[in-house]
Amino acid sequence: QSALTQPASVSGSPGQSITISCTGSSSDVGFSNYVSWFQQEPGKAPKLMLYDVTNRPSGVSNRFSGSKSGNTASLTISGLQAEDEAEYYCSSFTRTSTWVFGGGTKLTVL
Amino acid sequence: QVQLVQSGAEVKKPGSSVKVSCKASGGNFNMHAISWVRQAPGQGLEWMGRIIPMLGTPIYSQNFQSRLTVTADASTSTAHMELSSLRSEDTAVYYCATGLWQNAKVGFNYYNYFSMDVWGEGTTVSVSS
C-alpha cells in the first residue's frame, strides 16, 4: 500500500486560509468517505481533527473543515492562528480494511 | 472517553523481538479496535496493523505481515504488539490508537470499519547493536 501524497509544506499568515491536499487512489481515498486528518505537534501523539471527510470531533475548532473529490481529499484551515502550526497527516481506510497515511504536511504560520 | 496507557521505552539488539503493551480504560474494550502506528525519527506515520477484540482476528499491513503479531486480552483491556527480527530501521515511536468499530457498507460490500480517535502517548523502541 503506497502512502497518500501530501505537499511537504504549506504556509500562511495569521487570519488567512490554507488548504492541504491528500491524493490517493480508488483503493483508498476514492474508495469511501472514511478519510481522517490528524494534527501532530513536535514530541506529541497525533490528534484527530477530522473524520469521515468532514466531521469534527468534539472540541475541534470549526475553523477546520474537510472535503473530498474523487481520489483527493482536502483539509482547510480558516482564520489561521499561531497555534495551528504543526504537522498534518491525512489517512484513509482502504479496500483491504487497512489504513494508509499521507507523508505529512508541515504548516508554518508566518 | 477511552484513555490508552502504553508500556515504557525499550532498547533492543538487531534480530531480537520487542513487545509493547497498550492498556485501555474508560470504555468498552470489546467495542473498540486497537491499531498500531509507528513513526521513525523525523518521518511520517505508518499504520502497522489492528485487532478488534470482539472478533479476535488481526489485520496487518503488508509491510509487516511476516514480523508483526497483534493480540488483545479482554480480561485486562490490554492490547499487545510484538515485532520480531528487529533491525535498526525499526527504531521508532510506536503508538496504539483506538476507536469504535462497525460493520460498514461501502458500495455493495461490507467492511469491519474502525477509527483511530484516541491515541496512546507512544513507546520509543531503539534498535542498536
Side-chain angles (χ1 to χ4, degrees):
Chain A
Q1 186 75 50
S2 300
L4 307 177
T5 300
Q6 298 181 232
S9 63
V10 297
S11 62
S13 300
Q16 288 185 331
S17 293
I18 63 95
T19 296
I20 300 172
S21 62
C22 170
T23 301
S25 71
S26 58
S27 294
D28 37 66
V29 177
F31 160 65
S32 74
N33 286 328
Y34 295 128
V35 174
S36 296
W37 288 88
F38 297 89
Q39 177 192 67
Q40 187 179 34
E41 297 175 354
K44 294 189 175 182
K47 174 187 175 184
L48 180 66
M49 303 302 284
L50 292 175
Y51 64 95
D52 298 356
V53 177
T54 61
N55 295 331
R56 287 184 305 275
S58 174
V60 172
S61 170
N62 59 10
R63 298 184 298 104
F64 291 82
S65 62
S67 63
K68 195 191 85 163
S69 177
N71 297 336
T72 298
S74 298
L75 166 70
T76 298
I77 308 174
S78 59
L80 209 55
Q81 299 179 0
E83 66 199 49
D84 299 330
E85 187 161 293
E87 193 87 17
Y88 290 85
Y89 293 91
C90 64
S91 186
S92 175
F93 189 66
T94 77
R95 197 178 294 277
T96 56
S97 297
T98 61
W99 281 86
V100 62
F101 285 96
T105 298
K106 180 175 174 57
L107 169 61
T108 301
V109 180
L110 302 171
Chain B
Q1 174 76 328
V2 177
Q3 290 186 314
L4 302 176
V5 177
Q6 298 185 221
S7 51
E10 302 266 9
V11 178
K12 293 293 181 179
K13 298 288 188 187
S16 66
S17 298
V18 67
K19 192 170 187 177
V20 179
S21 68
C22 172
K23 184 173 176 59
S25 62
N28 186 334
F29 190 68
N30 281 325
M31 296 304 296
H32 286 78
I34 302 286
S35 289
W36 289 91
V37 177
R38 78 175 184 180
Q39 186 170 37
Q43 302 301 308
L45 302 172
E46 182 177 21
W47 189 86
M48 301 175 68
R50 71 92 174 122
I51 190 163
I52 298 174
M54 179 175 284
L55 302 181
T57 305
I59 285 183
Y60 303 120
S61 164
Q62 286 183 351
N63 294 341
F64 301 96
Q65 190 74 39
S66 61
R67 298 195 295 138
L68 179 64
T69 302
V70 173
T71 57
D73 182 348
S75 67
T76 60
S77 297
T78 302
H80 301 274
M81 181 281 299
E82 184 169 20
L83 189 62
S84 63
S85 302
L86 290 170
R87 35 205 188 234
S88 59
E89 308 90 270
D90 295 318
T91 294
V93 177
Y94 289 77
Y95 294 101
C96 60
T98 190
L100 293 172
W101 72 274
Q102 61 177 288
N103 198 19
K105 186 175 183 182
V106 180
F108 298 107
N109 298 310
Y110 285 87
Y111 298 82
N112 286 321
Y113 169 73
F114 56 98
S115 56
M116 296 181 285
D117 304 340
V118 175
W119 292 60
E121 74 273 32
T123 297
T124 299
V125 175
S126 299
V127 183
S128 174
S129 55

